[in-house]
Amino acid sequence: MFSNDRNIETIGQLVEATKHYLGLQREYMKLDGIEKVVRLITALILVAVLSLLVLLILIYLSFAAAYALQPVVGKAWAFVIVAAFYLFCFLLLLAFRKKWIERPVVRFLASLLMDK
């Protein structure tokens, strides 16, 4: 009763369908991994390019601010004031790095890598 030709054929079809399904799942996992890596690399390149542009903008604005302050406080002090502003920003960033940088980056990476 259990070993007739129809049951054996059905079991063989089930085994083949399972092999095909597992192959498709493996392929899907590869493609999903590739997609996530590409999205991560794209995000990193975008951040690098935007950071470079912001850095260039800040350099020019810093010189503009220093030259604007020069008639009021003198040439050297104008540059010292601009440098002190950047030191203050650096210290603020250092103090709040977890809240402003680490947590948003972790959330971004988690959403990027865990998104289905």
Side-chain angles (χ1 to χ4, degrees):
M1 174 172 173
F2 288 109
S3 64
N4 66 25
D5 289 338
R6 187 163 183 230
N7 285 342
I8 292 173
E9 184 180 319
T10 304
I11 291 173
Q13 289 174 349
L14 180 62
V15 168
E16 287 300 317
T18 304
K19 284 181 184 178
H20 182 68
Y21 173 76
L22 291 175
L24 290 175
Q25 281 298 105
R26 185 178 58 199
E27 196 67 27
Y28 171 74
M29 295 302 257
K30 285 180 190 177
L31 291 174
D32 190 46
I34 289 170
E35 178 197 7
K36 288 179 181 181
V37 167
V38 167
R39 287 174 59 194
L40 181 63
I41 291 172
T42 303
L44 290 174
I45 290 172
L46 182 64
V47 166
V49 168
L50 291 177
S51 297
L52 180 65
L53 289 174
V54 167
L55 181 66
L56 290 172
I57 291 169
L58 283 176
I59 288 172
Y60 281 106
L61 287 176
S62 298
F63 278 110
Y67 285 120
L69 287 172
Q70 181 180 354
V72 178
V73 294
K75 187 173 187 174
W77 284 106
F79 284 98
V80 169
I81 290 171
V82 171
F85 172 75
Y86 282 120
L87 179 64
F88 176 72
C89 290
F90 172 76
L91 292 175
L92 266 179
L93 199 62
L94 192 63
F96 295 105
R97 69 183 176 272
K98 285 191 186 288
K99 184 178 181 182
W100 291 348
I101 297 174
E102 288 179 19
R103 288 183 192 148
V105 168
V106 168
R107 274 195 301 265
F108 170 73
L109 289 176
S111 70
L112 186 70
L113 297 175
M114 300 303 284
D115 186 28
K116 287 232 173 195

